[in-house]
Structures are given as C-alpha cells and as structure tokens.
Amino acid sequence: MGVKGRLPSSVRAEDRIVKLNRGILAALSAAVLFGLSTPVAKRLVGEMPPLLLAGVLYAGSGAGLGILVAVRTIGPGRSSIVRPHGADVIWLIGAIVAGGVIGPYLLMYGLQSVDSASASLVLNLEGVFTALLAWFAFNENFDRRIAAGMALIVTGGVVLAAGSAARAGGVAGPLAIAAACLAWAIDNNLTRKVSINDAMLIACVKGLVAGSISIALALHFGAPIPAIGTVSRAALLGFVGYGLSLTLFVIALRNLGTARTGAYFSLAPFIGAGLAVFWGAPLTATLLFAALCMGAGIWLHITEDHTHLHRHSCVVHEHWHVHDEHHQHLHADGPQDQGAHSHVHVHEPMEHAHPHYPDVHHRHEH
C-alpha cells in the first residue's frame, strides 16, 4: 500500500504536462496506424472475403500482442502485468461480446444488401454513438466546444464516405450496420472501464476472441480457405495496424476518456485517404474540405482547457503510474521516485483545481 506524501510542485507540474499529452499522442498514433493499414487491407480483400479478412487481421493482432505480453513477463527486464479483476472482468467480457461477436455478425448481415459506399456512410455512426453513450449513459463530461469538435470530425468523415450515393436495397441492411456501430460504441465505452489495466493484454484478448469469432462466422457463411501466404500477410498487417493500434487506443481511453479518444480516432479514414493520394489518387476538393472540417475539430479538442475545483474520493487500485500530483505516496521498500511502476496504492481524498481530462482519476460529476 502507498503512504501519503508530498512531491515538489515542479515535479508534479512536469508529470502533469506529460500525462495530458500522452493520451492525445496515443489516440492520434492509433488513428495513424489503423488509417495507414486500411488501404493495404483493401488490397487483400480480393484474396479473401471481407469478414474472413477482418477475422485474420484481429487474430493476427491478438497473436502478435500475445507474444509481446509473454516476452514482457520473462527475462531480466520483465515487467508486471496489471490484469483485470472483479467487476473489470465482467466489463471486458461485455466489451468482447458487443464488439467481437455481435458487431461483426450485424455488419456481415448488413453488407449482404448494402454496397460499400453506403456502408461507409453508415459506419460513421460509430463515432456518434460512442460519444452519445459516453456523454449521456456513462456521464463523461463534455461542453459545447467538445461537442462542436466531435461534430466537425464526424462531418469530415461523412464527406469522405459520401463519394457515391446510397444505394441500399431496403432498410434492413443499413439498420443492421447501424446496430453494429452501436455494438462497437458499447464496446468502446466498456473498454474504457477496464482501461486502467494492462492495455496490451486487453488488446490481445479482444483481438484473439474477436478474430476467432469472425473467422468462424466467415467459414460458416461459406468463405473459402485462402493461401497460407495471404493469411500470413494479413496476420502481420493485423498485428501492426490493429494490435498496436488497439493497444494505443486503450491507453488513450485511460488518459482521455471515450468520446475524446473516439474523436481523435475518427481521423483514421482521412489518414487512409491521404495515403491513397500519396500512392497516386487525385487530390480532390472533397478531401480538402474533409481535411478542413477534421482539422478544425481536432483544434477544438487539442486546445481544450477544462479546469475547475474538484474532489477526489479515497480509492485503492493498481496501475502503472509515476509520482505525479495524484500519486503522492511513499514506498517502504525503495526510493520515492522510481519512474513508471505498478503496485496497489491508495489515493487519499483531496481537493484541487488543474487542467484535466475525464481520465481514470477524473471521472467525477460536474
């Protein structure tokens, strides 16, 4: 257990700045990795059906991360893994069922009667549903600035996807895809509740389960088994574009909250479109307008300054941390400042004011 202590104010201020920036960098990095992987993944679509490809991508991400998690626990430089316990296990199972089982099945059902352009338009609902659930169901704080930024980012995504008019045959297909977006939004919000645990372990478990379910569904619907070389390339792409991206996404959830992380991650389609331009696609007015909308939305989020007097209740938990203003405990078995480390520690009640996001230490009411 930690013992309450004080750190120099200069150290605490420096740690605060690093922490506030870490979530944004993680979210943007997750969007970059996922966005860059999308054009590459599209080149594999012709070699295997979409749902089977999604399954191999997720399974590859889980397998690759599983190797990294194992390596981290052995050898002289091994690190501890903060595993979900108690209610966190239930939240993680819920996230996996919603995002790894229900979501892919509904998407597969919807794609049977909806063309890809129409599906891309409907898929923008994931960001909207994620933010609405975070704000109104999970009580994550927001203001007009954050809502406007989210609206601009989503508008940019819709503009990017609106290259072709919707040609869905009936309403069942679009409704199924919209329901899939809702399932993934639930997944995002439930994952935020377990984001205090090891991000790589969470991403590994989600990848393995979601990948296995998607592969099983694809084979059930008659997908042919692809060549081993194609599977290997897809699995490697999944590890980089999905596994590492999801790990960073969980880190961002821990530091920014769900809605803000989802807003930054919504940049992924624009990043993929930018890579396509680099490969020779035309630079269109649509892409430039989408860039303007998304850029304005990101600026509103990055320049957010949410400061007010707030109170922290007594909390006992475990996660990786440094000795910043929220971790002012002493260690009986070593120096006070040990860098990043993990152990069960106590947060004593305190009241203060400083800029903050709805991270794992600031989920208070407003």
Side-chain angles (χ1 to χ4, degrees), residues 100-167:
V101 180
I102 299 176
Y105 180 82
L106 289 171
L107 178 63
M108 179 65 180
Y109 179 84
L111 287 175
Q112 293 177 342
S113 59
V114 178
D115 64 280
S116 59
S118 302
S120 296
L121 282 172
V122 181
L123 285 171
N124 283 281
L125 288 174
E126 180 183 349
V128 177
F129 289 155
T130 295
L132 292 177
L133 284 177
W135 293 338
F136 299 109
F138 292 88
N139 299 318
E140 187 173 298
N141 75 283
F142 72 102
D143 54 23
R144 293 179 180 177
R145 183 187 190 89
I146 294 302
M150 184 70 192
L152 284 169
I153 294 171
V154 171
T155 298
V158 171
V159 169
L160 280 178
S164 301
R167 298 184 298 272

Side-chain angles (χ1 to χ4, degrees), residues 4 23 30 36 42 52 115 143 164 176 179 183 194-196 203 226 235 281 291 296 304 326 344 353 363:
K4 185 178 180 181
L36 293 179
K42 287 182 179 180
L52 180 60
D115 64 280
D143 54 23
S164 301
V194 300
S195 60
I196 197 172
E304 175 191 11
H326 295 104
V344 178
R363 297 179 180 176

